[in-house]
Amino acid sequence: MNRFRKGGALSPLRQAEAYWTALRRGDDVPSRSQIDPRGLENILSNTFILERIAPGIARFRLAGSLVNEMAGMEVRGMPVTAFFTTDARKQLSNAMEHMFDTPAVVELELQIEAPRLSAPREARMLLLPLRSDLGDISRVLGVLVADEAASVTSQRFSITSIEMRAVGKPSGAAEFKAKPRADANEDRADVNQPNPGFAEVQARFKPERSLLEEAKALLDRSRAGKPAEPADPAPAKHKGAPHLRLVVSRD
């Protein structure tokens, strides 16, 4: 793999991962609607979009020309596991489930197996998780690069190695933890106490009798022969004609 790693074929993977990372908000996963083809213009032939349709199964929604050439047909609607050998399909399904659930970035080292090839060729695939319009992680931005241009059809991939990197919080980020709420009866020194110099003593309102209690008291007084409580005195009427009073202040 040394010649493959040093060649220019690996650059589409790093470019796609850098574009995907730039779309992230904090430690979240980008959404499918954020992907703009203009941001991947020079590697569109290597890129593809997958949709999760069942546990361990994802199908092609979009695919570049290089991906179609390596398959020898239009791959839209096909499951991505159709590219792989029987032994590698279970490995790929487990890796994709880990990618969707964790979520994680998955990078695969592949070996191209075809009956007409004189020697096996090498390839790489990068899978980057995306959110759908519903908010669940069920889309994938993928990139496929090969050591050389495809020369034969009916190619299948076997998996040499799998690397998975969890998509989490940036290193060094402090986790926020809310403090437990203190008991209302517990005296705490760090709680602000009222300043006695500014505090005012509020007079409590006298309890008022309800209408039923007043009627009951009136009935008890009438039975006991006591006079009823006098009602509130009516305001005294001013004698004479109404007039205005002018008050002059010399302050």
Side-chain angles (χ1 to χ4, degrees):
M1 291 294 291
N2 291 334
R3 179 171 58 86
F4 180 75
R5 289 194 179 104
K6 292 178 182 178
L10 190 61
S11 60
L13 276 71
R14 303 283 76 84
Q15 181 177 345
E17 187 172 5
Y19 175 75
W20 175 85
T21 304
L23 297 178
R24 294 177 61 190
R25 297 188 181 97
D27 61 335
D28 198 11
V29 174
S31 62
R32 166 65 181 89
S33 58
Q34 292 178 263
I35 302 299
D36 190 344
R38 293 173 294 181
L40 303 168
E41 185 175 0
N42 58 331
I43 60 171
L44 282 179
S45 60
N46 300 83
T47 59
F48 55 88
I49 297 291
L50 299 179
E51 175 190 10
R52 184 189 190 186
I53 57 176
I57 302 177
R59 65 178 179 180
F60 286 97
R61 293 290 300 266
L62 296 172
S65 58
L66 178 63
V67 181
N68 292 326
E69 289 175 5
M70 296 191 70
M73 64 182 72
E74 174 66 39
V75 299
R76 183 180 299 179
M78 294 175 55
V80 67
T81 51
F83 267 88
F84 292 80
T85 60
T86 304
D87 296 334
R89 290 176 182 176
K90 187 174 182 180
Q91 294 177 275
L92 178 63
S93 297
N94 293 336
M96 287 193 300
E97 281 305 294
H98 180 79
M99 174 187 61
F100 288 125
D101 295 340
T102 303
V105 174
V106 177
E107 189 166 343
L108 308 170
E109 289 186 3
L110 310 174
Q111 187 171 329
I112 303 175
E113 299 181 358
R116 298 183 184 180
L117 288 176
S118 57
R121 293 191 290 113
E122 296 170 341
R124 266 203 184 196
M125 180 179 289
L126 180 67
L127 303 176
L128 303 166
L130 297 173
R131 292 189 182 275
S132 68
D133 294 338
L134 300 178
D136 59 330
I137 302 177
S138 60
R139 302 291 188 271
V140 179
L141 172 63
V143 182
L144 176 64
V145 294
D147 189 13
E148 297 175 358
S151 58
V152 294
T153 58
S154 303
Q155 302 178 66
R156 291 294 182 270
F157 297 131
S158 61
I159 299 177
T160 306
S161 66
I162 302 176
E163 179 185 354
M164 291 180 282
R165 303 186 295 273
V167 179
K169 296 181 179 180
S171 59
E175 183 180 359
F176 173 78
K177 293 184 179 180
K179 294 183 179 179
R181 182 172 296 177
D183 189 0
N185 298 325
E186 181 182 357
D187 295 333
R188 294 181 54 188
D190 59 343
V191 177
N192 291 335
Q193 300 295 336
N195 190 336
F198 293 93
E200 295 182 1
V201 180
Q202 299 289 339
R204 300 180 61 86
F205 290 102
K206 296 181 180 180
E208 297 182 358
R209 293 191 300 178
S210 63
L211 184 62
L212 181 61
E213 292 175 346
E214 292 182 359
K216 184 178 180 181
L218 182 61
L219 181 62
D220 293 341
R221 286 180 175 276
S222 62
R223 289 177 178 176
K226 297 180 180 180
E229 294 181 356
D232 295 338
K237 296 183 179 180
H238 296 284
K239 296 181 179 180
H243 61 278
L244 294 176
R245 181 180 180 186
L246 180 62
V247 178
V248 178
S249 176
R250 301 185 182 277
D251 293 340

